[in-house]
Amino acid sequence: MALTTLKSLNAEIKQLEAQKKLVEKRDGEVPKALAVLQRYSKVLTPAQRRQVAKIIGETVEAPSRRTATTPKGPLKGRKLGSVAPKYRLPTGETWTGRGLSPKVFTAWAKSAEGRAWVKAHPESKFPPAEGSLMTTATPAKKPAKAGTKVVKKPAKRSPTKKSAKKATRSAVKKAAR
């Protein structure tokens, strides 16, 4: 073999080894770059997310119908915390009192046990849960004392009647001139 061919082959081998080192270095940095992209994915627009997913080779889930989007990004509803149950049936089912009443509660209210409970407790619709605000007794209103008169204040004139009178007075004055 000629010396020039050997030298050219050695140069090509060195070049390929340098490329291999660059590829290995790049492959080591890819997970770091993916972690950064995932960390800041909330800032990206949906189009940018799709581009990144296309480059990575993953699929992006479609935004839900409930999430509205604006030019600045998706709108998020307020976050509600967990709510303590307000009502508890004797069977153990609970309900927070928000939204429509569950079918179990309406069925219980229509049952004989539910109707008897409502007759005994006309102030509430369902039995309160332990620890809810409804379990604390509210003080009853004091009955009016016998012999006291309830005094009603006279009704005030409505402003429309006053303005109508002023309008007729001013019209009479103008007609008199």
Side-chain angles (χ1 to χ4, degrees):
M1 226 195 234
L3 188 61
T4 55
T5 355
L6 189 58
K7 285 183 180 179
S8 65
L9 285 175
N10 279 337
E12 194 173 332
I13 289 172
K14 286 181 182 178
Q15 187 180 11
L16 289 173
E17 286 176 348
Q19 285 180 354
K20 181 181 176 185
K21 286 180 183 177
L22 287 173
V23 168
E24 287 173 351
K25 184 179 178 184
R26 187 189 67 195
D27 287 348
E29 292 175 356
V30 167
K32 294 176 188 175
L34 288 176
V36 169
L37 284 173
Q38 288 174 345
R39 189 179 317 146
Y40 294 106
S41 66
K42 294 176 183 175
V43 180
L44 300 175
T45 64
Q48 289 171 332
R49 286 188 203 137
R50 285 191 298 272
Q51 278 183 325
V52 169
K54 187 177 179 182
I55 292 169
I56 295 172
E58 294 180 0
T59 58
V60 177
E61 69 271 355
S64 65
R65 291 181 184 176
R66 285 185 168 185
T67 307
T69 56
T70 63
K72 293 183 178 180
L75 290 176
K76 294 181 182 178
R78 63 183 183 149
K79 293 185 179 181
L80 300 176
S82 60
V83 179
K86 190 174 182 180
Y87 303 108
R88 183 182 309 272
L89 292 181
T91 56
E93 286 88 359
T94 59
W95 177 42
T96 61
R98 294 185 176 187
L100 294 174
S101 56
K103 291 179 182 179
V104 175
F105 278 78
T106 54
W108 179 84
K110 291 178 183 177
S111 70
E113 181 185 4
R115 287 191 304 252
W117 189 90
V118 170
K119 282 183 182 178
H121 305 87
E123 70 281 351
S124 60
K125 195 172 180 179
F126 297 113
E130 294 82 26
S132 71
L133 296 176
M134 295 182 62
T135 57
T136 58
T138 56
K141 292 183 180 179
K142 295 180 182 178
K145 292 181 181 177
T148 58
K149 251 186 183 177
V150 177
V151 179
K152 291 187 178 179
K153 294 182 180 179
K156 294 182 179 179
R157 287 187 180 179
S158 65
T160 55
K161 290 181 181 178
K162 287 182 181 178
S163 60
K165 285 184 179 180
K166 286 181 183 178
T168 54
R169 286 182 195 162
S170 62
V172 170
K173 287 180 182 178
K174 284 183 183 178
R177 289 184 193 175

